[in-house]
Amino acid sequence: MFAQRLANVAGSATLKAAAEAERLRRAGFNVVDFTAGEPDFPTPHHVKAAGKAAIDANFTRYTAAAGIPELREAICTWYKVHYGIDLTPAEVLLTAGGKQALFNAALALFDPGDEVITHAPYWPTIPEQIKLVSATPVIVQTRSDEGFAVHAEAVIGAITPRTKGIIINSPCNPTGALVDEATLAPIVEAAAKRGIWIVLDLCYEQLIYDEVPHNLPKVLFDRHRDRTVIAGSASKSYAMTGWRCGWSIAPKPLTSAFNTIQGQTTSNITSITQKAALAAVSGPQDAVHVMLAEYRTRRDAIHGWLTAHPAIKCVKPKGAFYLFPDISALLSSDGLSTSADFAQALLEQEHVAVTAGEGFDAPGYLRISYATSMEQLREGATRILRFAESLRPAKAGVAR
Ligand SMILES: Cc1ncc(COP(=O)(O)O)c(C=O)c1O
């Protein structure tokens, strides 16, 4: 009945988990919800004020499909200041979140039969968008005992004559891992030799906890600028998920193709959002630093609490706001045998909602969003530890 392209495309595991939590909450349970894929902070005051002013000034009509020039300009300036790369507004297009930037890229670049390489554990939208355009995702696994590091040889080894693109996400949802400049460089060089596109999902670029080199745009621009797409977003950096503002940075001809796609589908992103995003990108950045500092404190706390349990192993995330613990030592063939079972039982018994690793191509793991209050984190950690202890106290070596 429906188009073939939908046959293999899955819905969002995170949204399903959040809906389950909401069902329990409405039934009157005190649910601790760790499924959020978005900041719990309000949009900064000056950004909201710019949105309100836009309404009052009747800035409520269509804009150019690619967005208003002053915001595209401001994004160029932002990338110049932060990464030292020179852009023109003709290379920037505003999208309804980073999600639409990535989907525009998939639509414009990938044909049925093309292979597109990405790394796992992944944000599920990445492979699902590849499937939506009838191309084939090729997955390179990363390992928690290596900090979920992407290895250049593994990505390059996955290239075939059918490879059309490589999608890299850093900081990564769900692992919080970063891709090193030194890892990206040989991948880009291999792609450049073969004319393969690189799509870099940088939507969490302002949520990196330590001062580490992460100038991936420069690595790309120095080597392969004419086949590079960067997806950026105001959602996570500026607590603006509901406003829907992202952008693509791509060579001019590809940006024109995105403009055609968007012009015939959604047109411009909301005019009011554009004015608010202009204030976000070009105004004071204090709120970003305050939120980052708070996420860091929360990360350290929840990481410390959970890893105190000997059966829970967890890499400390370097970016984004998710913990991705390995709970496989708590699974057993005669009890909860998968992380999906674990997440379901945790929800039913302790009313803690997490997203099971299966949704990220990582069975045996849980994704815990720490974009929630310290009180909720403390309470949720207590419940998770109690639940873990109830499962395998003897094996896990927990004193009773
Ligand atoms: C890795 C990653 N990229 C991109 C996005 C896109 O977010 P938005 O469309 O709100 O910019 C998300 C959202 O969760 C994400 O996790």
Side-chain angles (χ1 to χ4, degrees):
M1 186 163 85
F2 298 138
Q4 191 52 37
R5 75 177 68 85
L6 276 172
N8 301 318
V9 178
S12 158
T14 313
L15 291 186
K16 254 182 253 163
E20 266 288 277
E22 183 53 26
R23 189 182 58 75
L24 281 180
R25 203 178 291 119
R26 264 191 274 113
F29 293 102
N30 171 11
V31 176
V32 175
D33 190 351
F34 288 153
T35 63
E38 61 182 337
D40 58 318
F41 296 100
T43 303
H45 179 75
H46 70 285
V47 176
K48 290 193 287 196
K52 288 179 196 166
I55 296 176
D56 290 340
N58 295 315
F59 191 73
T60 51
R61 304 228 164 99
Y62 292 133
T63 70
I68 56 175
E70 53 272 43
L71 179 51
R72 297 166 78 193
E73 231 8 296
I75 290 170
C76 295
T77 305
W78 196 93
Y79 281 81
K80 175 74 181 168
V81 169
H82 287 84
Y83 299 117
I85 60 173
D86 290 303
L87 287 172
T88 62
E91 295 165 289
V92 178
L93 179 124
L94 296 168
T95 57
K99 207 173 231 180
Q100 189 178 23
L102 292 166
F103 194 52
N104 284 346
L107 274 173
L109 296 177
F110 308 141
D111 280 316
D114 286 344
E115 291 177 358
V116 183
I117 299 170
T118 195
H119 48 100
Y122 48 59
W123 178 47
T125 293
I126 292 174
E128 297 308 325
Q129 287 190 344
I130 297 168
K131 291 192 244 163
L132 263 174
V133 297
S134 306
T136 307
V138 173
I139 306 302
V140 173
Q141 291 290 340
T142 63
R143 301 162 49 116
S144 61
D145 59 2
E146 296 177 348
F148 296 109
V150 171
H151 293 298
E153 319 80 73
V155 174
I156 295 166
I159 293 175
T160 75
R162 287 164 61 177
T163 305
K164 186 75 186 290
I166 298 173
I167 304 182
I168 302 282
N169 172 216
S170 180
C172 176
N173 171 9
T175 63
L178 302 180
V179 173
D180 298 333
E181 294 174 5
T183 299
L184 186 61
I187 296 174
V188 178
E189 280 154 19
K193 269 193 220 138
R194 298 164 176 84
I196 295 168
W197 285 88
I198 302 265
V199 179
L200 177 62
D201 177 352
L202 272 187
C203 288
Y204 291 89
E205 68 194 306
Q206 296 206 63
L207 294 178
I208 297 179
Y209 296 105
D210 298 311
E211 289 278 326
V212 289
H214 192 255
N215 195 338
L216 305 187
K218 183 104 173 69
V219 170
L220 282 164
F221 269 51
D222 283 352
R223 292 166 177 80
H224 196 33
R225 178 177 184 149
D226 57 342
R227 293 215 175 190
T228 282
V229 181
I230 297 172
S233 176
S235 289
K236 321 285 176 172
S237 310
Y238 300 107
M240 290 182 72
T241 46
W243 297 78
R244 309 308 298 134
C245 181
W247 50 83
S248 55
I249 293 169
K252 221 169 132 185
L254 182 59
T255 301
S256 296
F258 294 162
N259 199 18
T260 304
I261 293 171
Q262 222 164 274
Q264 300 297 10
T265 52
T266 57
S267 293
N268 61 277
I269 68 165
T270 310
S271 56
I272 302 153
T273 289
Q274 295 187 55
K275 290 289 189 182
L278 179 60
V281 172
S282 56
Q285 302 293 300
D286 322 19
V288 179
H289 304 133
V290 169
M291 289 189 276
L292 182 63
E294 179 60 27
Y295 289 134
R296 187 188 291 110
T297 307
R298 295 171 182 180
R299 173 198 66 163
D300 292 345
I302 181 99
H303 182 266
W305 292 328
L306 292 185
T307 54
H309 194 290
I312 299 177
K313 284 183 266 152
C314 188
V315 176
K316 202 170 202 181
K318 295 183 177 154
F321 41 61
Y322 309 102
L323 222 56
F324 203 60
D326 174 356
I327 49 96
S328 55
L330 292 165
L331 305 176
S332 68
S333 51
D334 55 348
L336 299 174
S337 60
T338 66
S339 41
D341 292 344
F342 185 101
Q344 187 60 33
L346 179 65
L347 182 64
E348 282 164 14
Q349 285 178 42
E350 291 286 356
H351 307 131
V352 177
V354 297
T355 314
E358 281 82 349
F360 309 95
D361 202 2
Y365 292 80
L366 302 178
R367 191 188 76 169
I368 294 175
S369 164
Y370 48 90
T372 188
S373 71
M374 205 56 134
E375 296 72 46
Q376 287 290 289
L377 289 171
R378 176 75 263 188
E379 176 61 25
T382 304
R383 295 188 198 181
I384 291 173
L385 292 173
R386 187 165 60 211
F387 182 71
E389 222 173 311
S390 75
L391 289 178
R392 309 189 69 176
K395 184 162 182 195
V398 176
R400 305 224 86 193

